[in-house]
Amino acid sequence: MHNKNSNVLLIWSGDWPAYSSNSDKYYVILAGEGFDSTDEAWNWCKANNYGPNDCMPIDLQ
């Protein structure tokens, strides 16, 4: 993943409140991209050939 996008970051979902509603914890790869809307983020996913099981735009604020 790092070879494809050099600005990625690996985090543990349990460390972020945005993922707290899910009782399962897992590693998350953040792409390091910023977007003004979820639609823009989904478009980035599609443009980079990531499907809905591989790319999930979420606001971490």
Side-chain angles (χ1 to χ4, degrees):
M1 183 68 174
H2 193 296
N3 290 336
K4 186 175 180 182
N5 297 309
S6 62
N7 59 343
V8 298
L9 180 65
L10 181 69
I11 66 166
W12 180 244
S13 65
D15 292 338
W16 293 87
Y19 298 101
S20 64
S21 63
N22 187 339
S23 62
D24 295 328
K25 302 301 177 205
Y26 42 87
Y27 286 101
V28 177
I29 298 172
L30 303 178
E33 303 292 332
F35 302 98
D36 292 328
S37 70
T38 304
D39 287 339
E40 282 185 28
W42 279 118
N43 289 336
W44 181 90
C45 293
K46 292 175 193 172
N48 286 279
N49 297 315
Y50 295 115
N53 291 329
D54 301 315
C55 192
M56 180 179 34
I58 191 165
D59 186 355
L60 293 176
Q61 294 182 9

